[in-house]
Amino acid sequence: MQNHHLKEHLYKILVIGDLGVGKTSIIKRYVHQNFSPNDDRHFICHAVCSDSFSSAGQERFGNMMRVYYREAMGAFIVFDVTRPSTFETVTKWKEDLDAKLSLSNSKHVAAVLLANKCDQGRDVLTNNGIKMEQFCQENGFVGWFETSAKENINIDEAAHCLVKHIIANE
Ligand code: GDP
């Protein structure tokens, strides 16, 4: 009786970013840590990966992306703090996401930025003097987290933040 009012939610979440930033590891970490038959929220995660935006093959890639993006409610865009080039593509991933996907109320889907592999240091963030809060505001991210799929740092917190914003958008 006490669970009578609980609703089960199923959301498709995208995990996007360059090759090798840790998308698969983040998904594995999240799914394994959170698996519980009594959990009232469940996720389908789709890892969308690409290591280039080269114009050759872009059309084919673009069409594939539409299929992956369809009906997603939120996204993590991931970069690797040890590789500046993976941060440089974050804005392209975000533009691509917003171009291909919007909610029925024509809002953009909630997107959270993940600075992954923080167990390796934070070179990209400190060397470039990037103001992350400002970067998130300017580029339409609802938040950002330094994460480590390896050490299980901030994965749950980031997921919680994304879910909170998905629910607020509904
Ligand atoms: P994907 O291509 O984005 O799916 O990246 P993977 O999940 O396959 O990870 C690429 C490599 O980075 C693998 O060798 C992972 O073990 C490693 N990796 C992923 N996340 C972390 C992390 O948080 N810290 C460290 N040190 N390595 C990680």
Side-chain angles (χ1 to χ4, degrees):
M1 281 305 281
Q2 60 181 1
N3 285 336
H4 185 65
H5 63 285
L6 285 182
K7 254 171 84 177
E8 186 170 271
H9 298 265
L10 183 66
Y11 298 122
K12 176 174 163 184
I13 304 293
L14 299 167
V15 185
I16 303 168
D18 287 358
L19 190 69
V21 295
K23 299 180 296 297
T24 312
S25 306
I26 288 167
I27 291 169
K28 282 187 184 155
R29 174 61 80 185
Y30 186 77
V31 170
H32 290 164
Q33 287 288 315
N34 281 274
F35 179 77
S36 153
N38 296 320
D39 204 340
D40 67 335
R41 296 218 165 83
H42 301 275
F43 294 86
I44 301 173
C45 290
H46 282 235
V48 178
C49 31
S50 166
D51 50 346
S52 86
F53 279 89
S54 63
S55 54
Q58 194 174 7
E59 191 45 40
R60 200 164 61 105
F61 172 68
N63 287 334
M64 188 184 79
M65 298 292 278
R66 271 179 217 283
V67 174
Y68 275 114
Y69 281 17
R70 194 178 295 153
E71 289 173 9
M73 296 292 286
F76 290 117
I77 295 184
V78 188
F79 69 96
D80 174 346
V81 293
T82 69
R83 286 189 294 143
S85 65
T86 67
F87 180 72
E88 284 156 21
T89 51
V90 159
T91 50
K92 290 182 180 160
W93 282 115
K94 182 66 168 65
E95 283 164 16
D96 197 59
L97 174 72
D98 291 341
K100 294 197 170 73
L101 189 67
S102 57
L103 301 173
S104 50
N105 57 10
S106 79
K107 276 193 190 175
H108 288 149
V109 295
V112 170
L113 181 60
L114 302 185
N116 193 44
K117 308 196 188 180
C118 72
D119 57 282
Q120 301 277 81
R122 58 200 311 271
D123 301 358
V124 168
L125 302 178
T126 47
N127 289 353
N128 297 323
I130 297 159
K131 305 256 185 305
M132 290 301 278
E133 279 78 14
Q134 192 183 338
F135 180 86
C136 285
Q137 276 190 355
E138 286 171 2
N139 292 283
F141 289 97
V142 297
W144 76 284
F145 292 84
E146 288 181 89
T147 58
S148 168
K150 187 179 174 201
E151 308 282 336
N152 195 18
I153 299 168
N154 270 345
I155 304 290
D156 284 352
E157 287 80 357
H160 186 258
C161 171
L162 186 57
V163 169
K164 202 176 67 185
H165 282 90
I166 288 172
I167 291 168
N169 272 343
E170 274 184 324

